[in-house]
Amino acid sequence: MSNRYTVFGQPIAHSKSPSIHSMFGELTGRSINYTRTESTPTHFAQTLDEWQQAGGKGCNVTLPFKETAAQLCDHLDQSAKDAQAVNTIHFQDGKRYGYNTDGSGLLRDLTSNHNFTITNKRILLLGAGGAARGTLGPLIAQAPHSINIANRTVDKAMALAASFPGTLCDLLATGYSDINDEDQFDLVINATSLSLQKALPPLPTNLFAAGALSYDMMYGTEDTVFMIWSRQHHAEQVCDGLGMLIEQAADAFEIWEGVRPNTETVYTYIKSELS
Ligand code: NDP
């Protein structure tokens, strides 16, 4: 019998996760069945219960349920504790084990797919929402030179920085207007939801150091305004978040099935499907 998985979200019809995981199943020779489940903030806990009772082996969780999912798990691994949010649940012996693979997915995309070394680099992390929170721990673990978290709501950036005390790299929380014309970064990550609105955070234009990589967590049928802006202002490498999506899915698949699929062919297929 196939192992059953689903992704919970609202909305969820757009999710590429069923296609990605079906391909992972084929590539690894695992028999899996992966569906989409729409829920609501009021009903999420109940829908999750029903899925578990019906014999689901695990699930992914996306907006807007990641924080609630963390509260509904029996055990959280360090990634989920740091993120205070869960995107992957594994059901075992009636218990719920929660993980957050967004950070490891971003890291693997940057380091393996784009050959970018994070150690000793100056990072600008734009945004302080769930995606920024999920990626901060794994970024810090790579020992960058510094991370400047910049957010519209500065208090949220400060709270995020404060939740990683004793960090070895310089960790700074600011607003956008605090970034000076002289400040330069090797890695700029857009973890805001601004690209969805085809808008940009207000940033100085000489932000990118020589060899810098600009990463927008958003992905879609075409380049985002942030990617276009980054190219105009001389970022050497410019990437969208599709690689992160696929790598975080591969990490989830490994948690459930014990084998990590090769992501290259899946990336190529989903990229062509999008365009
Ligand atoms: P959240 O809603 O948790 O956070 C949104 C962030 O965007 C906050 O920092 C918010 O700032 C900022 N923001 C929103 N509107 C504005 C605005 N008008 N001006 C300035 N800042 C603004 O979202 P997530 O963190 O979950 O997601 C962020 C992005 O990352 C999304 O585009 C999402 O699709 C993408 N993502 C991609 C993944 C992938 O696998 N590729 C995985 C997860 C997320 P403030 O705090 O001031 O409100």
Side-chain angles (χ1 to χ4, degrees), residues 62-63 66-67 87 101-102 105-106 126-135 150-154 156-157 176 190-197 199-202 215-219 240-249:
T62 189
L63 289 176
K66 290 183 186 181
E67 283 80 11
N87 77 340
T101 62
D102 284 339
L106 170 71
L126 305 168
R133 179 172 285 283
T135 52
N151 196 41
R152 172 180 62 178
T153 312
V154 184
K156 276 174 70 180
Y176 295 121
N190 185 9
T192 73
S193 51
L194 275 168
S195 290
L196 276 171
Q197 308 153 38
L200 289 166
Y215 196 100
D216 196 342
M217 286 193 187
M218 166 100 175
Y219 57 87
D240 71 9
L242 182 61
M244 174 180 172
L245 175 79
I246 290 167
E247 298 300 340
Q248 64 78 27

Side-chain angles (χ1 to χ4, degrees), residues 75-86 98-100 133 164:
H75 302 278
L76 297 179
D77 90 330
Q78 194 57 43
S79 64
K81 283 182 189 159
D82 283 348
Q84 296 167 20
V86 154
Y99 304 80
N100 191 308
R133 179 172 285 283
F164 289 85

Side-chain angles (χ1 to χ4, degrees), residues 104-124:
S104 57
L106 170 71
L107 217 60
R108 196 179 281 263
D109 193 33
L110 283 168
T111 57
S112 299
N113 300 336
H114 301 295
N115 293 319
F116 188 86
T117 304
I118 291 165
T119 309
N120 280 329
K121 297 289 171 33
R122 296 159 294 178
I123 302 177
L124 176 61

Side-chain angles (χ1 to χ4, degrees), residues 204-268:
T205 54
N206 58 343
L207 206 60
F208 298 105
L213 189 151
S214 171
Y215 196 100
D216 196 342
M217 286 193 187
M218 166 100 175
Y219 57 87
T221 51
E222 52 195 31
D223 285 353
T224 65
V225 283
F226 184 74
M227 293 168 73
I228 295 166
W229 181 88
S230 299
R231 267 192 213 101
Q232 282 165 351
H233 298 294
H234 314 298
E236 192 171 294
Q237 275 198 82
V238 176
C239 315
D240 71 9
L242 182 61
M244 174 180 172
L245 175 79
I246 290 167
E247 298 300 340
Q248 64 78 27
D251 287 342
F253 190 92
E254 185 175 10
I255 288 165
W256 297 324
E257 292 287 326
V259 55
R260 196 174 201 283
N262 185 306
T263 50
E264 209 177 317
T265 45
V266 180
Y267 179 89
T268 310

Side-chain angles (χ1 to χ4, degrees), residues 177-204:
S177 58
D178 300 314
I179 302 168
N180 296 315
D181 282 346
E182 307 81 54
D183 294 337
Q184 288 214 307
F185 300 91
D186 307 295
L187 173 61
V188 180
I189 301 170
N190 185 9
T192 73
S193 51
L194 275 168
S195 290
L196 276 171
Q197 308 153 38
K198 296 194 188 299
L200 289 166
L203 295 168

